[in-house]
Amino acid sequence: MWKTIVRRVLIMIPQLFVLSLLIFIMAKQLPGDPFTGLLTPDTDPNRIEELRELAGLNDPWYVQYVNWIVNAAQGDLGKSYTYKIKVSTLIGERALNTFWLSLVSVIILYLIAIPLGVLAGRYQDTFLDKIVVFYSFVTYAIPTFVLALIFLFIFGYQLHWFPTVGSVDIKYDTGTAGYIWSKLYHMLLPAFTTAVLGTTAVVQYLRSEIIDAKSLDYVRTARSKGIPVNKVYSRHIFRNSLLPIAAFLGFTITGLLAGSIFIETIFGYPGMGQLFISSLVSRDYSVITALVMLFGFLALLGSLLSDIIMSIVDPRIRIE
Amino acid sequence: MAKQATVDIKKEEINSPPTGMQVVFREFRKDKLAMFSLISLVLVIVGVFIWTWFIDQEALMRVSLRDKYAEPGEKFLLGADQGGKDILGQLVTGARNSIAIAIAITLITVSFGIIVGLVCGYFGGWIDNMFMRIIDFFITIPSLMVIIVFVTIIPKYTVKEFILIMSLFLWTSTARLVRSKALSESRRDYVNASKTMGTPGILIIFKEIMPNLSSILIVELTLNFAGNVGIETGLTYLGFGLPPQTPSLGTLISYANNPLVLQDKWWVWLPASLFILLMMLGINYVGQALRRSADAKQRLG
């Protein structure tokens, strides 16, 4: 068990290294540097040069890279040139928003997916099953941004059920019940959109898992002992089918992160995905590099998490 | 006479199990919705390509402020955008560009993926190891973000560069799939027999293994095409896709970033969104029917 985890973590290190090198070199290629925006006709070119020297922008790239890595390892990711605050503080704020949004999304996702998957599997080939199969087909095929825009248009602008932008109403003070409710209220529509898009895999997996389990010996044994059908489904089959679903959690996180770029941009939700797009527009490359690294790290962590859960659930894939 | 004919057909069916295209054809005949999707997709794609020949691109891109946000009506069938440009014309041109680019990316990524997958699966050893490490790396990086950063740093940015960047990041899933299939296929008796007769590896790979994987490859091609349309329009929507002088379906939808347009000027962005939605449903449905016909256990027909 531990060997599996250690081995997976060891594989992560070179991957992170190559990723960081790639991102660093890419960031250096971004047109313009952070001081380009400060240029006005009256700016003294020597002053700009001085600033560049101070920021270490004139060092050879490998020196800059090592400096960056060493600082990053100590939690110092540099300063955002547009927001004038530390990158770690900036991302910390946004990451919290993205975290809450992802959490609500995952909860809604499982609330939708588990009943659908279980019902479709139990009542296989009925009308209900066909509807679920069709639903999971549509959510698989539709691109994130199209669904998000259509939801925003219908539920936000036409029906006025949900707020259309931001993460909280400014009229509430931090910490009050109204503030928390307002935050949650702003999260619901983006989280629902993300959840709907993520249900496909879970529904399909759960459905086929339950269909397979129906004909297995332990189910027949349970039935022949006289356990009612409902109980067999809720106690025996459901538990066995649920374990592999837990393993999906890691991949779900990876998917949520990639989707957050679209979702947060469209719903104007101030999370990491939106920060990424806005820093690209303003060429704030200390923020860009930090975000890509963080997303890469989280994606690796997600697949690691899935592997660990898998190896707990299914002992066959452990490395001894 | 007629009776005789049906008997003959039955005999034939018993004698030789249906193969290749016959299976696909049967599957589509059984699944009417898949047949309908396939026919309408072909009609739409061909129609869009022909239609763009008749559109005067210069006139289409001409700004006329008098027609700013003109509503759908006689002059503009689907209304006009901020610059008074015809939405319908942009929709057709955008669809043409999106489809053409998705086809280009699909062909590049799938052919590269097939070659890498087959070679890795057949030969194994260090080639396999090396490519698998590269693929592992590509799978773990946040490719959407890296593509966006790439798009920003390329100095002379055109459609060609865009296709190449996308292809660089999207070949890995095909390679992985083909590798796993080729791996199991190359343990089969017919491959061993061919090896003992001294057939060179390249010939075994492309003349003997590849035809046996053709059904999976067609499925992969279709589903990849759908995926690529989605990624391209999505990136263009965010502003990191096709360069502005090449309109795509994503360009039209990106006008909806302006809340005013999203709220009141539905004719600007909704048609393109629905077009993408229906096209994706169609392609994916066809892909599923193809996948079913590739797997004897799931066939309907």
Side-chain angles (χ1 to χ4, degrees), chain A residues 11 14-16 18-19 22-23 25-27 29-31 134 137-138 140-143 145-146 149-150 152-153 157-158 160 204 258 261-262 265-266 272 276-277 280-281 283 288 291-292 295-296 299-300 303, chain B residues 33 133 136-137 140-142 144-146 148-150 152-153 169 223 230-231 233-235 237-238 240 250 253-254 256-257 259-264 266 269-270 273-274 276-277 280-282 284-285 288 291:
Chain A
I11 294 176
Q15 282 176 337
L16 274 177
V18 178
L19 180 64
L22 181 77
I23 291 163
I25 293 170
M26 281 190 347
Q29 304 297 317
L30 282 175
F134 183 72
F137 165 70
V138 172
Y140 169 75
I142 187 166
F145 71 107
V146 173
L149 270 178
I150 291 176
L152 180 63
F153 177 63
Y157 284 110
Q158 295 300 312
H160 299 288
Q204 282 178 347
I261 298 177
F262 285 108
T265 311
I266 290 171
M272 291 195 289
F276 175 68
I277 298 295
L280 266 169
V281 174
R283 308 271 178 248
I288 299 171
L291 276 177
V292 182
F295 272 56
L300 279 174
S303 71
Chain B
L33 193 54
R133 292 294 83 76
D136 277 347
F137 174 70
T140 48
I141 61 172
L144 191 67
M145 294 177 102
V146 181
I148 291 177
V149 178
F150 251 102
T152 333
I153 59 179
F169 288 92
L223 295 181
I231 299 174
T233 49
L235 284 173
Y237 165 77
L238 285 177
F240 300 99
I253 303 178
S254 71
N257 277 337
L260 213 74
V261 175
L262 181 63
Q263 196 172 357
D264 296 328
W266 56 269
W269 62 275
L270 198 58
S273 304
L274 292 180
I276 292 183
L277 177 60
M280 296 294 266
L281 288 179
N284 277 298
Y285 204 82
Q288 278 198 350
R291 180 186 281 164

Side-chain angles (χ1 to χ4, degrees), chain A residues 211-226:
Chain A
I211 291 174
D212 286 348
K214 270 185 198 172
S215 54
L216 290 183
D217 285 342
Y218 77 90
V219 174
R220 207 160 5 139
T221 313
R223 277 295 288 140
S224 54
K225 280 196 299 185

Side-chain angles (χ1 to χ4, degrees), chain A residues 101-320:
Chain A
L101 181 63
S102 308
L103 187 72
V104 178
S105 305
V106 170
I107 293 173
I108 301 179
L109 194 161
Y110 283 108
L111 279 182
I112 300 175
I114 291 178
L116 285 186
V118 170
L119 287 176
R122 178 165 176 182
Y123 302 107
Q124 186 195 352
D125 289 333
T126 60
F127 183 64
L128 183 78
D129 180 35
K130 290 203 174 105
I131 291 179
V132 174
V133 169
F134 183 72
Y135 161 84
S136 69
F137 165 70
V138 172
T139 50
Y140 169 75
I142 187 166
T144 312
F145 71 107
V146 173
L147 186 72
L149 270 178
I150 291 176
F151 273 7
L152 180 63
F153 177 63
I154 295 175
F155 298 115
Y157 284 110
Q158 295 300 312
L159 298 173
H160 299 288
W161 286 359
F162 297 100
T164 52
V165 74
S167 72
V168 71
D169 234 326
I170 36 165
K171 68 179 182 201
Y172 295 108
D173 296 324
T174 318
T176 58
Y179 177 83
I180 294 170
W181 165 244
S182 167
K183 271 208 123 151
L184 188 67
Y185 188 42
H186 279 80
M187 263 181 244
L188 280 180
L189 189 57
F192 179 67
T193 316
T194 319
V196 165
L197 287 162
T199 44
T200 319
V202 181
V203 170
Q204 282 178 347
Y205 200 80
L206 199 55
R207 176 177 174 271
S208 63
E209 194 76 5
I210 284 177
I211 291 174
D212 286 348
K214 270 185 198 172
S215 54
L216 290 183
D217 285 342
Y218 77 90
V219 174
R220 207 160 5 139
T221 313
R223 277 295 288 140
S224 54
K225 280 196 299 185
I227 300 173
V229 183
N230 275 330
K231 223 170 181 178
V232 172
Y233 272 100
S234 63
R235 289 284 171 80
H236 297 76
I237 296 182
F238 183 59
R239 279 196 192 174
N240 269 310
S241 316
L242 208 56
L243 282 175
I245 294 296
F248 265 36
L249 192 66
F251 296 117
T252 310
I253 293 173
T254 321
L256 286 182
L257 287 174
S260 75
I261 298 177
F262 285 108
I263 297 284
E264 289 176 3
T265 311
I266 290 171
F267 291 100
Y269 185 84
M272 291 195 289
Q274 198 216 31
L275 180 66
F276 175 68
I277 298 295
S278 64
S279 350
L280 266 169
V281 174
S282 59
R283 308 271 178 248
D284 198 346
Y285 64 72
S286 47
V287 181
I288 299 171
T289 44
L291 276 177
V292 182
M293 266 321 280
L294 187 65
F295 272 56
F297 180 69
L298 288 176
L300 279 174
L301 215 59
S303 71
L304 175 71
L305 190 68
S306 274
D307 280 0
I308 292 175
I309 299 175
M310 276 293 221
S311 70
I312 294 171
V313 174
D314 187 348
R316 279 170 302 180
I317 59 170
R318 279 182 211 161
I319 302 162
E320 292 307 336

